[in-house]
Amino acid sequence: MLRTIADVAEKYGAQAIKLTGATRMTIVGLKEEDIDGVWNDLQLDKGAAVGLCVRSVRACPGTTFCRLGKQDALGMGMALDKKYHSMELPGKFKMSVSGCHLACSESWVRDIGLIGQKEGWQMVIGGNVGAEPRIAQELVNGLDDQQVMTAIEKTIQYYIANANKGERLGKVINRLGLKPFQDALV
Ligand code: SF4
């Protein structure tokens, strides 16, 4: 994949390839008329990098590559990315998955963050960085893979039903409180 990205960047005269803070790769300096050709050559689904939607899901190495990992953050991150990436929502929406309590994927400053623990997943919601940073709050703890997928789906559905256009999840919690989100899991 890295070879393909390098070849495509060279072919279309890109100025740089950049790793973003969200661990995405950006090919910088392409001509607008070449964008479709680039995606075609990369043989990837188009990434959703802007707009009111779920951005690519960030994940740390977890149990796959990190000796401190308690849960499979990479596997969970890829499953979430496959299910939610580019899904349109009322506001910008970021998710990240960390394999242990050190939270290297910055799960505490994402709309939905997962943190791996020995007993299962801790799920925190309502975090974000930016001009008005907000630390997420714990929604639930000790969930297995299936349970956390269900909890994420219920949280997103509640968010869709109750958020104003452009309102991030943390602001919905500021307005309504955390309890309705906890109740929505039942
Ligand atoms: S969060 Fe934990 S498992 Fe993930 S990279 Fe950091 S130390 Fe390793």
Side-chain angles (χ1 to χ4, degrees):
M1 177 52 69
L2 289 172
R3 261 181 225 290
T4 304
I5 292 170
D7 289 345
V8 169
E10 217 165 64
K11 175 178 172 183
Y12 289 94
Q15 294 167 11
I17 300 173
K18 182 181 181 300
L19 282 172
T20 73
T23 63
R24 292 176 297 211
M25 292 186 80
T26 306
I27 304 176
V28 182
L30 297 170
K31 295 186 189 72
E32 193 172 344
E33 60 267 27
D34 289 335
I35 301 292
D36 287 341
V38 168
W39 281 116
N40 194 46
D41 287 3
L42 289 172
Q43 298 190 337
L44 292 172
D45 294 332
K46 290 184 181 178
V50 295
L52 304 183
C53 64
V54 179
R55 310 299 174 79
S56 58
V57 177
R58 179 173 175 174
C60 81
T63 49
T64 316
F65 298 116
C66 181
R67 66 185 172 81
L68 298 177
K70 298 283 185 275
Q71 297 290 331
D72 178 11
L74 272 184
M76 176 57 72
M78 287 170 76
L80 289 173
D81 199 81
K82 189 171 178 194
K83 183 168 182 186
Y84 291 110
H85 183 194
S86 81
M87 178 183 187
E88 291 187 9
L89 291 179
K92 181 161 93 174
F93 204 94
K94 297 189 173 183
M95 293 193 235
S96 88
V97 188
S98 300
C100 79
H101 73 289
L102 295 179
C104 295
S105 287
E106 301 177 343
S107 300
W108 288 102
V109 284
R110 294 294 182 274
D111 297 275
I112 290 180
L114 299 185
I115 297 165
Q117 298 180 335
K118 199 173 164 199
E119 309 75 29
W121 292 105
Q122 177 187 24
M123 178 175 165
V124 300
I125 66 170
N128 59 263
V129 292
E132 295 178 58
R134 187 181 193 282
I135 303 293
Q137 293 158 268
E138 180 182 300
L139 182 70
V140 63
N141 207 336
L143 303 183
D144 65 25
D145 288 0
Q146 191 52 53
Q147 288 169 330
V148 87
M149 290 296 274
T150 302
I152 289 170
E153 180 62 25
K154 287 183 174 177
T155 299
I156 287 177
Q157 290 307 323
Y158 186 83
Y159 172 64
I160 290 170
N162 292 282
N164 299 316
K165 189 169 171 58
E167 189 178 36
R168 287 191 74 165
L169 197 149
K171 290 200 168 171
V172 179
I173 296 173
N174 289 345
R175 182 165 56 83
L176 301 177
L178 188 63
K179 189 162 186 315
F181 283 91
Q182 292 168 325
D183 293 345
L185 298 185
V186 178

